[in-house]
Amino acid sequence: MRVHRAAILLCASLAGCASHEPIARCEWPPEARAALDLGVRAARRHLHEDALRAEDIGIRYADARNAPHSGHFMGFAAYKRTTDSCVTAMLGAVARTHGVSPDSVRASLARRPVGGDVLVNLSFAALFALIAYGVTGRLNQSFPLDGGRDSVVAVAAIVMTSMLASGVAVLVGEWYAISIEVFRVGNGHLSDRVQRVPWTHHRVEYFLTGVVLFWLVAALRHRIGFGHQAGRATSWAADAARGSRHRRAPVARP
């Protein structure tokens, strides 16, 4: 319950992103009856879109009736009853319109476009890797991993920093994923829909992935830095060798 309230407050803070006003009536808009064959992919997508729309109507209706900002708030339990009642009615309307069972309509809500979630994860991972690249560069300067006695300190610094960076990334990444979901559904208040955002169910996995990604970036940064140092050392040795040959070259006498 505490997590649910936190989600409501977070989504309310993003309400300015929504472009629609709350719906004051729990009514499904007029639509011609058309049976859907759920064996067809396009039909399943259409049912999914209608189910999302039905859920959104229920949430907007409850927001207008007795949400915390409506002026008629009577507690979260009453708000949830209003939401569930209207959503159930709207899902039933969708079921009657398309000749399917209400359970099929409700089940379609859980079907998410995988491509969108993958894009959210990859874009945030790229941002995290870019930040980690800059942070590990500073760590290499302060705690060089050169194989000496200070290497233990350097490794410890990388491990501790990776855990801290990944912990912060989990919090920021969840806000990022929820913000993308707000724009996707077009409503600043996600309500129970926040529970379908994958990030809210895999925080530990995201944390461990962030730690491993930080280590990989640190290893890459160390390898690049080591290569540059080796290149400079080789260049210096070559210059020194050429200078020595010039000094030792015999002078021709007439």
Side-chain angles (χ1 to χ4, degrees), residues 169-249:
V170 168
L171 299 177
V172 176
E174 184 167 334
W175 178 86
Y176 173 71
I178 290 176
S179 299
I180 296 298
E181 189 73 4
V182 165
F183 282 104
R184 190 179 77 86
V185 303
N187 188 348
H189 181 201
L190 293 181
S191 188
D192 290 340
R193 291 176 291 194
V194 74
Q195 298 300 323
R196 293 201 293 268
V197 177
W199 204 291
T200 62
H201 299 283
H202 302 284
R203 296 183 182 97
V204 175
E205 292 86 342
Y206 282 118
F207 172 78
L208 295 177
T209 301
V211 170
V212 172
L213 180 57
F214 192 96
W215 291 352
L216 292 175
V217 172
L220 176 63
R221 189 65 187 258
H222 173 69
R223 184 178 181 85
I224 293 175
F226 183 78
H228 287 168
Q229 292 177 359
R232 287 196 296 268
T234 303
S235 177
W236 178 85
D239 291 343
R242 285 196 297 269
S244 177
R245 286 196 299 269
H246 286 313
R247 287 195 298 270
R248 292 178 181 177

Side-chain angles (χ1 to χ4, degrees), residues 3-230:
V3 174
H4 178 68
R5 293 183 181 181
I8 290 178
L9 293 176
L10 175 59
C11 294
S13 67
L14 298 170
C17 301
S19 58
H20 304 286
E21 295 297 327
I23 294 177
R25 291 181 296 179
C26 184
E27 296 179 359
W28 183 252
E31 182 179 359
R33 290 179 178 269
L36 294 177
D37 180 5
L38 298 185
V40 179
R41 182 178 180 181
R44 293 195 301 270
R45 182 170 61 250
H46 181 87
L47 183 65
H48 173 67
E49 292 172 354
D50 276 2
L52 290 177
R53 186 181 181 188
E55 184 182 42
D56 192 59
I57 290 175
I59 292 172
R60 293 180 186 277
Y61 172 74
D63 286 347
R65 293 277 295 181
N66 57 6
H69 59 271
S70 67
H72 305 285
F73 183 61
M74 300 177 62
F76 284 100
Y79 171 80
K80 182 170 177 56
R81 285 194 300 269
T82 303
T83 303
D84 292 344
S85 176
C86 185
V87 169
T88 300
M90 294 301 96
L91 294 179
V94 173
R96 291 189 298 272
T97 300
H98 295 302
V100 297
S101 67
D103 291 338
S104 297
V105 182
R106 188 176 291 274
S108 70
L109 288 172
R111 300 190 184 101
R112 291 178 58 82
V114 178
D117 291 330
V118 170
L119 182 60
V120 169
N121 290 338
L122 290 180
S123 61
F124 190 80
L127 177 61
F128 178 79
L130 183 63
I131 295 175
Y133 188 82
V135 172
T136 52
R138 292 184 176 274
L139 287 177
N140 286 343
Q141 294 176 358
S142 303
F143 307 99
L145 189 62
D146 53 7
R149 291 181 300 177
D150 292 337
S151 294
V152 175
V153 178
V155 171
I158 291 174
V159 171
M160 295 299 294
T161 305
S162 68
M163 296 176 66
L164 177 61
S166 186
V168 173
V170 168
L171 299 177
V172 176
E174 184 167 334
W175 178 86
Y176 173 71
I178 290 176
S179 299
I180 296 298
E181 189 73 4
V182 165
F183 282 104
R184 190 179 77 86
V185 303
N187 188 348
H189 181 201
L190 293 181
S191 188
D192 290 340
R193 291 176 291 194
V194 74
Q195 298 300 323
R196 293 201 293 268
V197 177
W199 204 291
T200 62
H201 299 283
H202 302 284
R203 296 183 182 97
V204 175
E205 292 86 342
Y206 282 118
F207 172 78
L208 295 177
T209 301
V211 170
V212 172
L213 180 57
F214 192 96
W215 291 352
L216 292 175
V217 172
L220 176 63
R221 189 65 187 258
H222 173 69
R223 184 178 181 85
I224 293 175
F226 183 78
H228 287 168
Q229 292 177 359

